[in-house]
Amino acid sequence: MTSSSPVLDPQIAAQTVSDRVRLSLDIIPQVAVVLGSGIKALEDLECLGSISYAEIPGFPEATVAGHAGVLSWGRLGAEGPAIMVARGRFHLYEGHGLSEALSLVELFHALGIENLILTNAAGGLRADWTPGDLMLIADHINLQGFQAGLPTSPSDPMLAATRYRAVETYHDAWRMRLKQAAMEANVPLREGIYVGLLGPSYETMAENHYLLTAGVDAVGMSTVPEASRAASYGLRVIAISCITNISITPRGAAETSHQEVVDVAKAASQNMEALLRAAVLTAPQSAGFVG
Ligand code: HPA
């Protein structure tokens, strides 16, 4: 935690948000979506309301270009399911500690939200993939905790999260339903392994080739802490990467800049929008849901 960071009390943050949500919605949504760098989607909601991260007690400031720092909510159509949408997240590479990076997950958990859809921009390691492709994360490799030197002490409350052994971080049954729905809607969807690196610099070519031999399909700088923490709390999680550059080819790697990442993510927004809607509609139901 940086010395100037506010301290998040999830219950207080949740109270502030739920008071605001109830001005426009009669229920707390059961599905939350986190939109990563440049990903524009789910802007057209019914009963729309929002709060900026700066207004949520204990939340850090969102500092990365392409991240708005706004939490909104509403319904997917007049009769559709209620959802909460976080535009912008907190990265370890911004200098945030693990607890700040997990602020959104702590808030969703305190609100009682049970389903979490994470999105991110990522570099692709498959030479036959194309910028703008979408990839469902089947599983991840965590090289962030190691790089960030976490946890810091045996009494660190975050130890529980890092000790959690992820058997099924990304909900199998939900993933299957989403793949089926994407196929039926003609939305191309890849599936693969994501590696979370600390960043903020992009990988070297040697690192890319090394990661490829380790079975990695996509490289990014987020998602792993959020997905792990949420799953350790029992939230059902799925995650979708927007492949913004093919970093395994020298040209693709040379062209990677944050602006390019944001631009490609924006261009892929139509497919991402369709996929996110399908993900919300295929989300597990709480009461009596089996599977
Ligand atoms: N590497 C790591 N993170 C990224 C990349 C990349 O090539 N593209 C978008 N996020």
Side-chain angles (χ1 to χ4, degrees):
M1 187 188 301
T2 52
S3 54
S4 59
S5 298
V7 175
L8 178 75
D9 178 331
Q11 296 305 328
I12 293 176
Q15 192 59 53
T16 304
V17 171
S18 63
D19 286 349
R20 192 75 79 85
V21 169
R22 285 177 195 287
L23 296 178
S24 50
L25 274 182
D26 47 351
I27 52 161
I28 297 296
Q30 274 310 297
V31 182
V33 183
V34 177
L35 297 179
S37 292
I39 296 172
K40 275 170 71 76
L42 304 172
E43 300 195 330
D44 188 16
L45 301 177
E46 304 272 339
C47 312
L48 186 68
S50 66
I51 186 170
S52 74
Y53 290 175
E55 294 176 90
I56 304 175
F59 256 47
E61 261 177 63
T63 61
V64 182
H67 288 87
V70 175
L71 186 67
S72 41
W73 49 84
R75 286 187 181 278
L76 273 190
E79 305 288 319
I83 61 170
M84 186 164 276
V85 184
R87 294 172 208 281
R89 56 153 60 88
F90 307 103
H91 304 86
L92 295 170
Y93 69 72
E94 293 173 80
H96 297 304
L98 188 55
S99 24
E100 284 89 7
L102 292 170
S103 298
L104 283 165
V105 172
E106 297 296 342
L107 172 67
F108 297 149
H109 177 54
L111 282 167
I113 291 175
E114 297 185 346
N115 300 305
L116 178 61
I117 303 168
L118 299 169
T119 67
N120 60 50
L125 294 187
R126 302 287 165 193
D128 57 338
W129 290 13
T130 312
D133 283 357
L134 300 180
M135 183 192 94
L136 192 56
I137 298 182
D139 205 350
H140 68 228
I141 296 175
N142 176 9
L143 295 181
Q144 290 189 314
F146 168 74
Q147 289 173 312
L150 298 166
T152 50
S153 82
S155 61
D156 189 328
M158 293 301 151
L159 200 58
T162 54
R163 280 236 176 108
Y164 160 77
R165 187 195 296 279
V167 176
E168 188 193 322
T169 306
Y170 304 94
H171 197 270
D172 275 337
W174 192 3
R175 275 196 293 130
M176 299 305 144
R177 284 198 297 277
L178 178 56
K179 284 192 284 187
Q180 182 68 33
M183 211 162 57
E184 286 165 8
N186 270 324
V187 179
L189 180 60
R190 300 188 180 278
E191 188 168 31
I193 304 297
Y194 174 92
V195 66
L197 302 181
L198 181 59
S201 49
Y202 295 111
E203 324 73 61
T204 65
M205 289 306 281
E207 286 166 337
N208 280 329
H209 284 281
Y210 162 73
L211 292 168
L212 191 59
T213 62
V216 171
D217 300 292
V219 187
M221 304 171 192
S222 66
T223 302
V224 167
E226 293 161 328
S228 306
R229 194 75 206 266
S232 77
Y233 276 147
L235 274 79
R236 294 170 291 237
V237 180
I238 55 171
I240 303 162
S241 292
C242 176
I243 305 297
T244 53
N245 53 287
I246 304 302
S247 47
I248 200 69
T249 62
R251 192 170 153 273
E255 282 180 354
T256 307
S257 68
H258 187 66
Q259 193 53 48
E260 185 211 16
V261 165
V262 168
D263 290 346
V264 174
K266 262 191 201 154
S269 289
Q270 207 177 338
N271 277 344
M272 185 61 103
E273 174 85 26
L275 201 58
L276 288 175
R277 285 176 178 263
V280 172
L281 294 173
T282 54
Q285 305 293 314
S286 305
F289 173 78
V290 182

